[in-house]
Amino acid sequence: MALEFNKTSYLKIYTGEDVLFEDIPLYKAILREARSLGLAGGTVIKGIEGYASKVRGVGRAVSTFISGNANFPVIVELVDKKENLEKILPFLEKNATHALVVMGEADYLVTDFMRKAEGYKDINNGSPQPSYLRKQQEQQQ
């Protein structure tokens, strides 16, 4: 069987764990907003070190004995169709202070699990099917 690849889009938001939106970390607010918009998926990755052209958090870093400063870099990755990802851009434009937002396209491998998961819905909250499943069903019809 030949390997099958489909196209998708992604957003990467580079920020820090100490950057806040209202009273919660920005990365949590981004995931909450993405979930409420029904985006296909999101992941937060915590870095161990990083830098940017402008220094963030100087003088307010919380130092711990074991891990040093507690303002590590964070990357939020969101994946879905471009038109779906564009729904979160107004939120990011207004609230992503101290952040860099990057959008791109990628190819993803269609796995056997994805092929067998036709009709799958998130049983926990009834959220929409992931975009790769919606696209697959549209192509079959």
Side-chain angles (χ1 to χ4, degrees), residues 3-9 105-111 114-115 131-137 139:
L3 295 177
E4 178 185 353
F5 287 87
N6 285 340
K7 297 261 184 224
T8 193
S9 293
E105 290 187 3
D107 297 323
Y108 68 90
L109 176 65
V110 178
T111 64
M114 292 175 184
R115 288 185 190 99
S131 62
Y132 66 83
L133 292 176
R134 290 191 304 264
K135 182 177 179 182
Q136 191 176 38
Q137 286 181 339
Q139 289 173 347

Side-chain angles (χ1 to χ4, degrees), residues 27-125:
Y27 67 88
K28 288 186 178 190
I30 293 170
L31 281 186
R32 182 178 64 193
E33 183 71 11
R35 195 175 290 121
S36 74
L37 292 170
L39 299 185
T43 301
V44 175
I45 301 165
K46 181 177 176 181
I48 59 171
E49 190 171 346
Y51 77 95
S53 61
K54 294 193 178 192
V55 178
R56 173 189 55 77
V58 173
R60 52 187 183 122
V62 177
S63 184
T64 64
F65 177 72
I66 296 174
S67 63
N69 291 339
N71 61 345
F72 292 107
V74 174
I75 301 170
V76 181
E77 294 186 358
L78 304 173
V79 179
D80 205 329
K81 291 189 260 184
K82 186 175 182 178
E83 56 267 23
N84 291 339
L85 291 173
E86 288 172 346
K87 295 175 185 175
I88 199 169
L89 293 179
F91 173 85
L92 294 172
E93 183 180 27
K94 182 178 179 183
N95 301 302
T97 60
H98 298 88
L100 171 68
V101 179
V102 178
M103 182 179 270
E105 290 187 3
D107 297 323
Y108 68 90
L109 176 65
V110 178
T111 64
D112 286 341
F113 173 79
M114 292 175 184
R115 288 185 190 99
K116 292 175 186 174
E118 185 175 344
Y120 171 80
K121 280 204 172 217
D122 185 341
I123 59 174
N124 293 323
N125 62 16

